[in-house]
Amino acid sequence: MQLWIGVHLSHASLDTHCPSWRTEPVVILDGNKVKAASPTALQAGVRPGMRQVGVNALCPTAALIAYDAHIEARAIDETSLALLQYTPELTLSDENTLLLDVSASLSLFGGVRRLYRRVRSTLEGLGLAAQISTAPTALGAWLLAARPAQQRRILQLNTLGKRLDALPCSYLPATRPYRDWLDGIGCSTLGSLRALPRAGLQRRTNKAVLQTLDAAYGHEPELFNWVVAPPEFIRRIELMERIEHAEALVFVARRLIEQLCGWLAARQLAVTRIVFALGHERGRHARPPTELELTLGTPAWESGHLLRLLTERLHNLELPAPVIMVELHAANTETMAPVPQDLFPDPGGSPADRQRLIEVLIARLGRENILQPSPIADHRPEVANRWIPLDEKPGSAVCVEQAERPFWLLEEPVALPIRQHRPFYGSPLHVIKGPERIEDGWWAGLAVRDYYVAQAENGARYWLFQERGGVSGWFLHGLFA
């Protein structure tokens, strides 16, 4: 099934120049005339094309912002890059509209409805207001998205034809030079335009009118220039206001992560390390940027997972100075591996789920607090018991055969009192196994000990030892899980 999604950025000027336009009176001025106005300003009587003098008279509290075409073009570029995660066949169209050929993506994302919701969620993450349409043709999707329409989601070609027949002729860009002539002959809709003799219509207008009309109805092939992702991903957002709290950077980070995921999908890559640079004051009071590095245990390319990891890091970050710029760099990438489709999946979650949980814990608690065992071949427990961060490669050491060692080893042994001729730790302890004798470390602190497994009255087990070769009391060295 041929299907296109049209994304029309309906308020691109307002979204890019003043994100708070939904609640404040804002007017975008192109030269001395109004290019766009917020709903509050429109209610006061401001209209596109009005001069600045009229704006000051009707809505004196409105914020007047000069239009910058480069800012709006950059927002279109960011949006196109983010939407590449849904299809590599994406093209830019007129009037801030993007067209996505999602015919081959429907099964991957679970159907039209789920894909539609994913696209809308991405646009919300970018902070952009948009009208989204679906249609079997690209020009049909453009007409439904960029023009007023009662129904914007159409899947069948015959249904699209009926909807397009009711649209005004002026909606089709190729007919605008001939609007007066069409109005004079009573041709007001695309349906009546199609009913005209084709030869006569071409003589009175031009060939482009028939070509675009046929393309909209699916009778003529369409040619496009597809958006191509850059070879490297480094994106920066200059903030309009200084941000003093790290949690407030989540929205900006989401915009960058959505773009990153689109770039990864277009390049068929997965990321293993990303670096966020938070820029501070420049000039005389310049400060070096604050860098946040996320190292992933497994390659990732999904925006939700990356955003969760970054959010956890930001919650624990104290900014040394206000932030005026955020930059994201995909430092390490590798080829995206296909998702395994096992016939019998692992119970309780896949290894990827476990790895993602570990990554979230590292982001929340810090790399130094999530450790893995890396034992050393030594009979002394305090030497053999070594823990390292998860992103380091553990050493391989042969365990002592038939030795029962506790999971939790104390950093320093605790001397236990003697009560009723037995070691006491909350209750008298009964020795149930031992001794395990060790004698090691003559070159760096000789350890000559007898280890025992003892049990308390509540069933808890402990690891105790006594020094050999002299009078020694009992010491608690470990606890069994």
Side-chain angles (χ1 to χ4, degrees), residues 95 139 142-143 146-149 166-176 188 190:
E95 301 181 20
L139 189 53
W142 181 86
L143 287 169
R147 296 289 181 265
L167 298 181
C169 287
S170 58
Y171 283 9
L172 203 63
T175 63
R176 292 174 186 171
S188 59
L190 293 179

Side-chain angles (χ1 to χ4, degrees), residues 91-369:
T91 184
L92 302 179
S93 188
D94 299 332
E95 301 181 20
N96 296 334
T97 304
L98 298 91
L99 301 175
L100 297 79
D101 184 358
V102 296
S103 307
S105 306
L106 296 178
S107 60
L108 177 63
F109 292 98
V112 179
R113 292 184 178 180
R114 290 186 179 180
L115 180 56
Y116 184 92
R117 288 195 292 266
R118 289 281 298 270
V119 171
R120 179 166 292 280
S121 176
T122 297
L123 294 171
E124 291 174 354
L126 295 173
L128 299 173
Q131 295 176 169
I132 309 175
S133 67
T134 58
T137 65
L139 189 53
W142 181 86
L143 287 169
L144 296 178
R147 296 289 181 265
Q150 294 181 352
Q151 184 178 358
R152 300 190 188 277
R153 286 186 281 179
I154 297 175
L155 303 181
Q156 301 299 327
L157 194 60
N158 56 350
T159 306
L160 175 65
K162 295 177 182 179
R163 299 299 178 188
L164 294 182
D165 284 344
L167 298 181
C169 287
S170 58
Y171 283 9
L172 203 63
T175 63
R176 292 174 186 171
Y178 312 99
R179 182 174 180 178
D180 293 338
W181 174 73
L182 293 173
D183 291 341
I185 64 174
C187 183
S188 59
T189 63
L190 293 179
S192 59
L193 183 65
R194 293 179 65 199
L196 295 177
R198 294 178 62 88
L201 180 60
Q202 182 171 340
R203 285 196 303 271
R204 292 297 186 96
T205 58
N206 57 37
K207 190 176 181 180
V209 173
L210 290 177
Q211 288 177 340
T212 55
L213 191 63
D214 291 341
Y217 285 84
H219 304 314
E220 183 79 14
E222 302 172 90
L223 300 178
F224 305 99
N225 293 321
W226 305 118
V227 173
V228 179
E232 187 179 8
F233 186 88
I234 301 179
R235 289 279 166 159
R236 173 184 298 184
I237 294 180
E238 299 286 346
L239 303 180
M240 297 182 180
E241 298 179 355
R242 287 175 169 81
I243 293 181
E244 299 182 356
H245 302 286
E247 291 82 357
L249 294 171
V250 173
F251 174 74
V252 182
R254 183 178 178 184
R255 289 175 55 187
L256 292 170
I257 286 177
E258 292 287 358
Q259 297 175 54
L260 170 63
C261 293
W263 179 80
L264 292 172
R267 306 290 298 185
Q268 292 295 299
L269 296 173
V271 67
T272 56
R273 186 170 69 92
I274 57 179
V275 178
F276 279 88
L278 308 179
H280 304 295
E281 194 67 42
R282 303 186 181 99
R284 294 179 56 187
H285 305 286
R287 303 192 59 144
T290 302
E291 288 193 353
L292 289 180
E293 181 177 313
L294 291 182
T295 302
L296 307 175
T298 57
W301 58 86
E302 296 179 352
S303 58
H305 176 55
L306 295 175
L307 184 61
R308 282 193 298 271
L309 295 180
L310 181 61
T311 302
E312 295 294 344
R313 289 291 301 274
L314 291 176
H315 283 329
N316 299 324
L317 177 66
E318 293 186 4
L319 296 176
V323 177
I324 61 174
M325 181 276 297
V326 181
E327 183 181 270
L328 172 60
H329 176 214
N332 294 343
T333 59
E334 60 183 56
T335 303
M336 183 186 299
V339 179
Q341 301 291 338
D342 296 336
L343 180 60
F344 301 104
D346 294 336
S350 64
D353 295 332
R354 173 183 175 273
Q355 187 61 44
R356 289 185 178 184
L357 173 61
I358 292 175
E359 291 170 355
V360 171
L361 292 175
I362 292 176
R364 177 175 298 183
L365 303 177
R367 173 178 177 269
E368 67 281 358
N369 295 319

